[in-house]
Amino acid sequence: MTRVFSGVQPTGEGPHIGNYIGAFRRWVELQDTQDECFYCVVDLHAMTVPWEPESLAEGVRRTAATLIATGIDPERSVLFVQSDVPEHTELAWILICLSRMGELGRMTQFKDKSRGGEAESIGAGLFVYPSLMAADVLTYRADRVPVGDDQRQHLELMRDLAIRFNRKFGETFPVPEAVIGRQGARIMSLDDPTEKMSKSSGRPASAIGMLDDLPSVRKKIARAVTDSGSTVAYGPEHPAVSNLLDILAAVTGESTPELVARLEGQGYARLKADLADAVVAVLEPFQTRYAELIGDPAMLDKVLDEGADKARAVAGPTMALVRERVGLRSGVLR
Ligand code: AQP
């Protein structure tokens, strides 16, 4: 039996087209090919940067509705919220104790997100959250973790922690494998192709939000930066246009060489017009479904409660085994 686990943070302006291309659409596909899929709104990760209680609660509902509207089927996948399953934090503590300061300090996401801040004022959660992420996956003893390219380093740490735990305490966890797509695994910002598209950049023009109104999606694409010259070409010398081509390829299913052949000599305006049409064609039905879901909070809560029950049924036995292996008393749990 193969088990898949992945998560999304309910942060910032909400999921963007990069999250969809790099992660969600693969999660949906995996429902057809894998035995069990666990998809989690990782609300505790959203506390690694300053947060407001109302926007966190709102972000959780919005993210859950987004996942269902993109095609995650709660009948076929376990869809739940991280903080509903306390085993994540319990295992995280053990993994934090097995993590090394040096390896956590090398995480580029920590370096990026803490840049510019005073060490004195950066929350310690930002430093240790890769160990919580390892706990998220290992709690379910998952085999495969579909993520975008930005999570590659965290996945390596997760594998190291699983191996370290198994060596010290006996074979307990499968060593999870990252599933990273060859195309679209790192969608870049529309206003700066050297920077990853991100929920919390604070620059609305940088990301196509999945919930952005469609006229502003078109406007953002029309204003996206391009490379000097006017050739539609793909490669490292054309980072901005390559990023637009990556998005177009992902949403249409065409390959980038096919797109280049079709759009060559037609200038950037045509590329942007085609891209806007293709992105709107994906977002329009998604947003209609999303509006129905977000308008029914009782149904969403029910889905998430049921998901938490199913997740706990797997997480509980893992933690009971872990407690025994590491030498913690487990009598109270029996
Ligand atoms: N730009 C991206 N291109 C492709 N995949 C991406 N992912 C994120 N950004 C891109 C993938 O989406 C999944 C969920 O991401 P996350 O919520 O865990 O957080 P993140 O990776 O830190 O993404 P963001 O959007 O940049 O959020 P903030 O700004 O809150 O940090 C992951 O599988 C991720 O790889």
Side-chain angles (χ1 to χ4, degrees), residues 166-227:
N166 289 346
R167 283 212 183 113
K168 184 159 171 64
F169 303 111
E171 209 56 38
T172 307
F173 299 116
V175 179
E177 205 188 289
V179 182
I180 300 176
R182 240 176 287 140
Q183 185 117 45
R186 183 180 285 263
I187 298 299
M188 309 308 279
S189 296
L190 293 186
D191 60 348
D192 179 359
T194 64
E195 201 182 274
K196 184 183 83 97
M197 189 179 284
S198 177
K199 292 189 223 82
S200 43
S201 69
R203 303 189 319 272
S206 70
I208 303 171
M210 294 187 70
L211 295 171
D212 283 352
D213 65 84
L214 300 177
S216 59
V217 169
R218 288 186 182 278
K219 236 182 259 161
K220 284 183 189 184
I221 293 174
R223 290 180 188 160
V225 300
T226 44
D227 305 305

Side-chain angles (χ1 to χ4, degrees), residues 7-9 11 16 18-19 22-23 109 113 146-148 150-151 184-187 196-200:
V8 51
Q9 303 185 62
T11 34
H16 49 72
N19 298 128
Q109 280 222 353
K113 289 191 178 177
V147 283
D150 61 322
Q151 298 299 329
R186 183 180 285 263
I187 298 299
K196 184 183 83 97
M197 189 179 284
S198 177
K199 292 189 223 82
S200 43

